[in-house]
Amino acid sequence: MFDGLHDIDWSSMDHAYGSAEEVPALLPAFRSPDAEERRKAFSRFHGAVHHQGDVYPCTAATVPFLFELAEDAATPDRAAVVDLLVSIGRIAVDRCEEQYAHASGHAEAAALMRERADKIVELASDSDPRVRRAAVRGVGLFVDDAERAAALLRDRLSAESGVVHRLLVVETMATLALRLPAVAGEAMRWFDALAAEPTLDPRTRLAAVVHRARCSPHDIAEDVVPAAIGLLRETARSTVPAGTWADPPSRTPAAAAADDVPAQVTAAFEDLDRHGRVHAPTTELLRTFHEVLEGRLPQRTVLLAEQLRDPDPGTRLDALRMTAEFMKSWRGDHAVLIGLVAGQLGATDPEVAAEAAAVLEACHPLAEPAREALAAQVAAQRTEHGPDVWAAPRPHVRRAHQEAVRALARLGDARALPSLLTALDSGVDSWRAVEVARALPQAAGDLVPRLRAHLRHIDLTGQWVEMSANALLSAVAALGDPAAVPDVAGVLEGAVRHERGSVTRSALAALKAFGPGAAPALPVVRALTTGTDAHVGPAAVAALWAIGGDREEVMPLLLELLDESMSFRVRDAADVLGEIGPPAAAALPRLRELSTHADEWVRVHCAAAVWDIAGETEAGAVLDVLLQAWTRNSSTAGRVVTCLRRMGPAAAPALPHLRAHLAVARRDWFLGVGRDEELQRDVRAAVERITSVTV
């Protein structure tokens, strides 16, 4: 075992976090009789040597030794080793044709896996069902003898009784057919036969339907989704105990639960853990089906609706997460799905109820049809569990209430207020309340005094202070009560003193939002306009203009910023010059010059400022800059569209771009559902403003 392990110069190779010299110690630890030692070794390997699924030269060098471990009956976690091998090989095969493959170890790892195809075949027929389950995907990825691989998979389907094993076998046949077209025709006929076999269990038949569609995504007949729904209804008649197919839930990393880690970080880890869990054996299959259906939105909506109506709580729980992903990724009328999600708020399974509320909170721009259901649920929870249900000891009850309250608050509904006040008064998960308080300006009288109290108690020496401080500052700024100015100014002074740049910028942004009402803070703001922090200076100048409105004071500062080499300082200055408008005409020559800058973001910000200062005489040049930038970089859309909206009729040549944007069904992933919905509203408003005059 491990012959030659120490002959390799591991120190000459790197993994994600530096030298790979630790690898020779990790591999023997996989055989340790101590389960905790093995767990740590696997965790370190995945975290560094196979970091985020990548394959380095040192990763490829471990493949022969991992095969030795997988074949040795004395290895305690053989299935975990095989799963690791298949993961390395899958990534390597996917990327080995890329330009950087040889340097990264992908080509070497792929070759090593294919050289050991016989070993993969043996492992796929191993006596240990967990080893077979881990290995079977490798048959589709690494065995180049198509007939041998297909025959093995047909045999495995007949031999396997476990539902997950059978689904994996069908999936692997599709993978094989997609990789080796010589077997595609045979595979399609096999799928058709399985789907039509009435004595076969409905989950395997459903897998055949889905993977046939996966092999021919451009030839999906109208009856495919109805057929899949019919099989889903058959699966609902029989349950499969989780113990027969599900892996144990992963543990939240200890670092995330440590006392010195903020609650927001712990919650983020918990969310990741929840997102990675699977509660029904058909979930991954249905995810694949949605990927295959892709832009067929009506069919996907019907399929999700069926999933959300399933009597099995686990199926509904996974369906809720798929529904959230769908609505976050695709535009359209999602009212039916929102209604079905809202219908889960009162589910007897508290985890389902909590997840339904979380979906509505995450997709709150679409959640208006669920407003009354949310309000009713919040009231029912307070009646059943008491007014302090926000801090309920049972985690699922607590999460269900908090998410419902947050979703209701995001809709601007004051019925969320009592629980938010409980959170702010008690300090229990108060950060969750702070994040949504900005959506309730009508309740500023109740919220602002409490937010101010939290501001006064911020410890600016704390390691993670930015998370809480920035959220509080953003909330008081959005609520707009100038009574908070002294507290914001106090935080600003403390942040400067403790060199907390991020908090300093947030405090300046809050003071800017208050405008002239923040006049008492002018001295400290003015002092920061010439500070050494590259980000703070422009933020201070913007706040100085918003609060003091003294053009003679800010213009020299802005003109100086326009000559900076750092692009973000130029952009920030251009934005303020645009706010000043025509009186900032002295900046026009430099702004015109910067409209041809190499950085497209600089071009967009400066062109928009040119319009705001000079108006229609510059319309043609401004439009050229804006539309070229939008075409080249879709992430500029928000800035471009807001300027087009201000331009009105002068932006008529942009109408094709605006209408083309509205015709796209897929959301921009980087924007998120909230900003994407806002962008759509801005695009429609720009079109309306342009056409109401030009038509």
Side-chain angles (χ1 to χ4, degrees):
M1 180 71 65
F2 302 128
D3 185 30
L5 177 64
H6 296 284
D7 296 336
I8 297 172
D9 186 3
W10 296 98
S11 63
S12 69
M13 295 182 278
D14 290 333
H15 56 44
Y17 297 107
S19 172
E21 59 189 354
E22 67 180 301
V23 173
L26 292 177
L27 293 170
F30 289 172
R31 298 184 81 241
S32 170
D34 184 337
E36 182 62 15
E37 183 180 354
R38 296 197 305 273
R39 185 194 67 79
K40 289 179 179 178
F42 276 110
S43 177
R44 181 60 180 170
F45 194 102
H46 278 283
V49 186
H50 191 34
H51 177 67
Q52 295 183 347
D54 209 349
V55 175
Y56 306 88
C58 67
T59 322
T62 67
V63 168
F65 305 108
L66 290 173
F67 267 103
E68 288 183 10
L69 286 164
E71 295 172 64
D72 183 5
T75 301
D77 298 323
R78 292 175 62 223
V81 174
V82 175
D83 189 66
L84 179 56
L85 271 169
V86 173
S87 177
I88 292 170
R90 179 179 60 80
I91 295 295
V93 166
D94 286 346
R95 299 183 182 173
C96 67
E97 300 300 325
E98 296 178 9
Q99 187 175 4
Y100 58 85
H102 291 280
S104 299
H106 298 121
E108 181 183 356
L112 287 167
M113 294 299 294
R114 285 184 169 144
E115 286 171 9
R116 290 161 173 78
D118 287 346
K119 303 297 184 184
I120 292 290
V121 169
E122 291 175 12
L123 291 167
S125 303
D126 195 88
S127 59
D128 185 335
R130 293 181 68 248
V131 170
R132 296 199 305 273
R133 175 178 162 187
V136 68
R137 282 193 172 105
V139 175
L141 292 167
F142 314 124
V143 179
D144 289 331
D145 185 336
E147 290 301 325
R148 181 189 184 195
L152 170 67
L153 293 172
R154 288 193 300 270
D155 290 344
R156 293 314 319 158
L157 187 72
S158 300
E160 295 291 359
S161 59
V163 61
V164 170
H165 290 74
R166 294 169 71 83
L167 298 184
L168 283 173
V169 169
V170 178
E171 173 193 325
T172 302
M173 182 69 87
T175 300
L176 182 70
L178 289 167
R179 183 170 69 89
L180 301 175
V183 79
E186 177 186 350
M188 298 290 268
R189 289 188 291 274
W190 189 63
F191 293 140
D192 288 338
L194 292 179
E197 176 52 60
T199 63
L200 202 58
D201 70 277
R203 291 176 179 84
T204 303
R205 294 171 63 198
L206 176 62
V209 171
V210 169
H211 288 294
R212 192 195 194 289
R214 178 184 163 208
C215 288
S216 184
H218 303 296
D219 188 29
I220 298 176
E222 291 295 323
D223 62 348
V224 170
V225 171
I229 287 174
L231 290 167
L232 270 178
R233 290 174 181 169
E234 287 189 45
T235 67
R237 298 172 193 158
S238 61
T239 59
V240 180
T244 65
W245 62 270
D247 292 325
S250 60
R251 299 189 303 176
T252 300
D259 292 339
D260 60 343
V261 174
Q264 296 95 314
V265 173
T266 301
F269 274 102
E270 290 172 349
D271 284 342
L272 283 172
D273 186 53
R274 273 191 292 268
H275 188 76
R277 295 179 200 166
V278 174
H279 299 83
T282 54
T283 292
E284 294 305 322
L285 177 63
L286 290 168
R287 286 189 185 280
T288 298
F289 199 19
H290 281 288
E291 290 171 7
V292 170
L293 292 172
E294 198 181 20
R296 296 174 173 86
L297 305 189
Q299 291 94 324
R300 292 186 65 184
T301 298
V302 170
L303 180 60
L304 283 167
E306 187 66 30
Q307 293 172 243
L308 289 168
R309 294 187 183 104
D310 196 285
D312 173 53
T315 299
R316 296 201 309 278
L317 188 56
D318 292 343
L320 284 165
R321 290 169 187 159
M322 281 188 240
T323 301
E325 292 165 9
F326 176 66
M327 294 191 294
K328 288 177 182 178
S329 301
W330 297 92
R331 300 167 179 166
D333 183 358
H334 298 308
V336 170
L337 293 177
I338 289 291
L340 288 168
V341 171
Q344 304 294 326
L345 290 170
T348 55
D349 185 302
E351 192 170 359
V352 172
E355 193 63 31
V359 170
L360 294 172
E361 196 273 334
C363 300
H364 63 271
L366 312 173
E368 180 59 37
R371 179 190 291 268
E372 294 307 316
L374 281 166
Q377 181 66 5
V378 167
Q381 289 165 333
R382 289 175 65 85
T383 298
E384 181 179 356
H385 301 286
D388 294 331
V389 60
W390 177 276
R394 290 173 58 196
H396 290 317
V397 172
R398 183 172 178 165
R399 178 170 176 254
H401 182 70
Q402 290 184 0
E403 296 290 5
V405 168
R406 281 162 56 90
L408 192 60
R410 297 272 197 195
L411 293 172
D413 196 307
R415 287 174 285 187
L417 184 62
S419 289
L420 296 182
L421 298 183
T422 297
L424 294 172
D425 290 340
S426 68
V428 175
D429 293 335
S430 58
W431 64 274
R432 292 184 182 273
V434 171
E435 287 184 343
V436 300
R438 61 183 298 123
L440 295 172
Q442 71 273 37
D446 291 306
L447 291 167
V448 171
R450 292 168 167 87
L451 295 172
R452 292 178 61 192
H454 281 268
L455 279 173
R456 289 192 291 269
H457 288 91
I458 287 176
D459 177 10
L460 288 164
T461 66
Q463 181 181 1
W464 304 88
V465 66
E466 289 83 2
M467 287 186 179
S468 55
N470 292 350
L472 282 164
L473 290 164
S474 176
V476 296
L479 292 173
D481 186 348
V485 168
D487 302 295
V488 175
V491 171
L492 175 60
E493 292 173 357
V496 172
R497 187 165 57 251
H498 293 288
E499 298 182 340
R500 296 290 190 179
S502 174
V503 179
T504 300
R505 295 193 299 274
S506 293
L508 287 167
L511 293 172
K512 176 186 176 184
F514 290 123
L522 269 175
V524 65
V525 171
R526 185 175 286 116
L528 292 172
T529 58
T530 56
T532 57
D533 187 299
H535 290 275
V536 168
V541 174
L544 183 64
W545 166 249
I547 299 168
D550 186 340
R551 188 173 69 253
E552 299 300 322
E553 182 178 21
V554 299
M555 280 298 294
L557 297 169
L558 293 168
L559 292 173
E560 185 177 342
L561 286 170
L562 288 184
D563 288 329
E564 288 279 358
S565 60
M566 288 177 279
S567 296
F568 66 87
R569 288 169 70 87
V570 176
R571 297 197 305 263
D572 291 350
D575 291 346
V576 179
L577 289 164
E579 292 172 12
I580 295 172
L588 276 173
R590 181 60 176 150
L591 288 169
R592 292 190 189 104
E593 183 181 355
L594 289 166
S595 295
T596 62
H597 194 276
D599 185 326
E600 60 200 7
W601 282 103
V602 171
R603 297 199 300 272
V604 167
H605 283 253
C606 290
V610 168
W611 167 262
D612 291 328
I613 296 168
E616 292 196 17
T617 59
E618 301 281 347
V622 169
L623 275 176
D624 285 345
V625 172
L626 296 181
L627 297 181
Q628 285 180 23
W630 190 5
T631 300
R632 293 173 183 173
N633 183 355
S634 63
S635 62
T636 63
R639 177 69 58 172
V640 169
V641 170
T642 54
C643 185
L644 295 176
R645 183 177 179 181
R646 294 197 301 274
M647 292 176 71
L655 279 172
H657 291 75
L658 294 165
R659 287 172 172 148
H661 175 85
L662 292 175
V664 173
R666 188 184 288 276
R667 298 189 194 278
D668 187 325
W669 184 84
F670 290 100
L671 286 180
V673 63
R675 289 175 59 200
D676 184 74
E677 287 291 310
E678 181 181 352
L679 176 59
Q680 288 183 80
R681 288 193 296 272
D682 286 344
V683 171
R684 286 190 287 267
V687 170
E688 183 178 358
R689 180 149 189 256
I690 294 168
T691 57
S692 64
V693 178
T694 58
V695 174

